[in-house]
Amino acid sequence: MSKYYVNKFLYQVDRDPALLAAYKADPASLVERWQDEYGRWLGASNRVEQTTWLSFTDGERTALIEHDYATLFELGAHFFLTLTIFIALYNDDYETKAGPLAFQREYAEKLSHWLGRDYPTVAL
Amino acid sequence: MAELAAVLATTHHPFYLKATTAPPEDRMAQADEWQRKVEAYRETLTAAKPDILVMVGADHFHQFFSDNYPAFLIGKQPKYDAIFYNEEREFGIPKYLLDGHEDLSGFMLQGLLDRGFDFAVSHELKLDHSIICPIITTRPGADLPVVPIYTNIFAPPLPSPKRFYDLGRAIRSIIDEYPSDQRIAAVGSGHLSLELGGPRQFGETGPDPVFDRKAIDWLASGDIDAILENVTHESMAGAGNATHGFMDLILMMGIAGAIPADYVDELDLFHTREMYMTWYPKGDPR
């Protein structure tokens, strides 16, 4: 698995409004496109040098495509990157339907089986 | 020599500006009390009449990522842009352009290297809300030159709590030696117990009110021994997965020294406890 690569996806997509909109509209296409157009380039902004050996596991790719933040938490993706991008994707829709913080509370509830336990480490 | 006019250690709540500028129909119940406390806190900096601000914060994966994440970094620039797109989007914080103070940045960097803190340095640093939130709360005119110092409280493995305290002590000795008649205030932001992206996030209180009580009391009394005895990376994780931002508050106490604070206030908000603390190591100007 590559927590680093998952974090890189979350980091780059969250900071780019066009990528973020694409991730909301068609996550499978965006995950595929990101690997080619972003993931394989060195660091966060290089377009000349490549990193040739990084890739997602099947489980990581599926979790990203399914917007499955609970699984991302369990895989050790960084909690701040995961929370921030999913707030961007879902907060407004939830707030309209169910009021402020409705999404954040559902998010916490989906992770409630981790209460009182050591969380999966985000260390790389 | 420069005068250390004040040391401020504060939590940074990115929704302060939004909460206190919302139209009346959207204004949260605690907004008035929150604004009163922040404005009273702001007076503790104003009274110190600072000329330069040494600012301590932590980049939240805005500029820095794990391809190259510095443990400690200082900016050395004439100007600093601030606030990233995703912070504007989520928190409604506008963009800023702050003046820098290159001479003090350079003096600070050399002083840190001389004292065994091998800092990274950036000449194209953009500041995030960890520095702009305290600007909004304590110096909203954003009219003073800044020296920004960033710490890693986010991407483990992290430096130890003792290292943060010792770094604060080093910063203090460098400020004391700075050959200038200017008045320097150190303003740093961090967190008490905090959970983000975990099961304890956005509860009715912060994730660990017991930790918060102790943490404020330790800082307010200058009890570094109790902090170093009780606060570890593991104990902070036990209080909430993002509690490690407390180490920046320990750093600020390091700048002040292990002395009682001159101003202590707090506010229990809907998912965090906010803390506002000021030391006047050279005497209370109020």
Side-chain angles (χ1 to χ4, degrees):
Chain A
M1 85 178 202
S2 173
K3 286 197 279 193
Y4 171 82
Y5 206 49
V6 171
N7 286 344
K8 182 173 173 176
F9 175 91
L10 299 171
Y11 172 74
Q12 286 194 304
V13 175
D14 183 66
R15 73 207 303 251
D16 182 323
L19 291 181
L20 189 65
Y23 187 44
K24 181 162 185 171
D26 186 349
S29 299
L30 190 273
V31 169
E32 199 60 36
R33 179 159 77 84
W34 177 84
Q35 291 173 91
D36 182 49
E37 295 181 12
Y38 293 86
R40 69 192 176 95
W41 299 103
L42 177 67
S45 55
N46 203 300
R47 286 293 178 276
V48 175
E49 302 299 335
Q50 295 207 12
T51 295
T52 58
W53 49 273
L54 282 168
S55 63
F56 295 127
T57 63
D58 290 345
E60 290 165 348
R61 185 181 295 103
T62 301
L64 290 173
I65 289 172
E66 294 181 351
H67 287 184
D68 182 355
Y69 54 80
T71 295
L72 292 172
F73 178 89
E74 297 187 354
L75 291 171
H78 199 283
F79 53 84
F80 187 84
L81 292 167
T82 311
L83 176 65
T84 302
I85 194 168
F86 284 101
I87 283 178
L89 293 170
Y90 289 106
N91 180 67
D92 290 355
D93 297 344
Y94 273 67
E95 192 165 305
T96 305
K97 276 187 248 161
L101 299 179
F103 175 68
Q104 289 84 338
R105 289 188 173 127
E106 182 177 296
Y107 192 128
E109 180 58 34
K110 282 192 183 174
L111 294 171
S112 58
H113 55 292
W114 284 96
L115 283 170
R117 300 164 60 191
D118 287 340
Y119 300 170
T121 180
V122 299
L124 300 175
Chain B
M1 293 300 121
E3 171 104 355
L4 179 65
V7 180
L8 279 71
T10 172
T11 50
H12 69 249
H13 198 307
F15 285 106
Y16 172 76
L17 187 65
K18 206 171 185 175
T20 53
T21 55
E25 65 273 19
D26 295 334
R27 197 170 162 93
M28 61 183 279
Q30 275 181 292
D32 288 348
E33 183 188 15
W34 196 0
Q35 188 167 352
R36 270 199 309 276
K37 283 180 178 281
V38 162
E39 289 177 358
Y41 184 52
R42 182 180 305 157
E43 288 305 312
T44 70
L45 181 62
T46 308
K49 297 187 168 54
D51 301 307
I52 308 171
L53 301 179
V54 172
M55 308 280 307
V56 176
D59 180 84
H60 295 56
F61 287 121
H62 290 120
Q63 182 162 349
F64 303 132
F65 183 61
S66 306
D67 60 326
N68 188 0
Y69 203 107
F72 296 117
L73 178 142
I74 186 167
K76 184 173 182 293
Q77 301 169 204
K79 301 272 183 186
Y80 296 91
D81 285 304
I83 295 301
F84 290 75
Y85 142 74
N86 45 9
E87 300 176 288
E88 278 188 292
R89 180 191 73 209
E90 185 173 354
F91 309 132
I93 301 175
K95 294 205 184 295
Y96 283 77
L97 177 63
L98 302 184
D99 285 333
H101 197 290
E102 285 189 281
D103 189 70
L104 180 54
S105 279
F107 188 83
M108 183 70 71
L109 174 58
Q110 189 58 54
L112 289 163
L113 293 168
D114 293 344
R115 287 162 177 78
F117 289 90
D118 298 328
F119 259 55
V121 58
S122 176
H123 304 282
E124 192 178 356
L125 178 67
K126 184 166 187 172
L127 305 179
D128 80 347
H129 71 267
S130 67
I131 284 182
I132 293 302
C133 288
I135 288 288
I136 290 169
T137 53
T138 67
R139 195 77 183 186
D143 59 336
L144 295 177
V146 301
V147 171
I149 290 173
Y150 267 138
T151 66
N152 177 13
I153 51 93
F154 241 38
L158 309 176
S160 67
K162 180 170 190 308
R163 188 70 171 158
F164 277 75
Y165 182 74
D166 290 345
L167 174 57
R169 296 309 299 157
I171 291 170
R172 167 63 180 277
S173 73
I174 296 163
I175 291 173
D176 285 345
E177 288 180 7
Y178 184 51
S180 162
D181 58 2
Q182 294 193 289
R183 296 172 62 78
I184 298 173
V187 180
S189 81
H191 299 290
L192 298 170
S193 72
L194 181 66
E195 177 101 342
L196 297 170
R200 293 172 286 178
Q201 71 177 4
F202 295 98
E204 293 307 311
T205 67
D208 192 341
V210 174
F211 173 86
D212 294 345
R213 179 75 272 130
K214 288 182 193 163
I216 294 173
D217 291 346
W218 290 327
L219 291 173
S221 59
D223 193 347
I224 186 58
D225 294 337
I227 288 177
L228 296 181
E229 208 168 292
N230 290 283
V231 179
T232 62
H233 294 151
E234 293 71 27
S235 74
M236 285 185 282
N241 65 352
T243 303
H244 304 83
F246 180 61
M247 292 192 291
D248 278 334
L249 305 182
I250 299 173
L251 188 162
M252 299 316 294
M253 194 177 86
I255 299 177
I259 57 172
D262 294 284
Y263 183 92
V264 182
D265 199 7
E266 58 190 271
L267 174 64
D268 198 14
L269 275 175
F270 53 93
H271 67 105
T272 66
R273 182 170 291 266
E274 297 301 293
M275 183 201 86
Y276 310 113
M277 197 170 296
T278 300
W279 293 264
Y280 295 116
K282 301 293 179 84
D284 190 335
R286 294 171 299 171

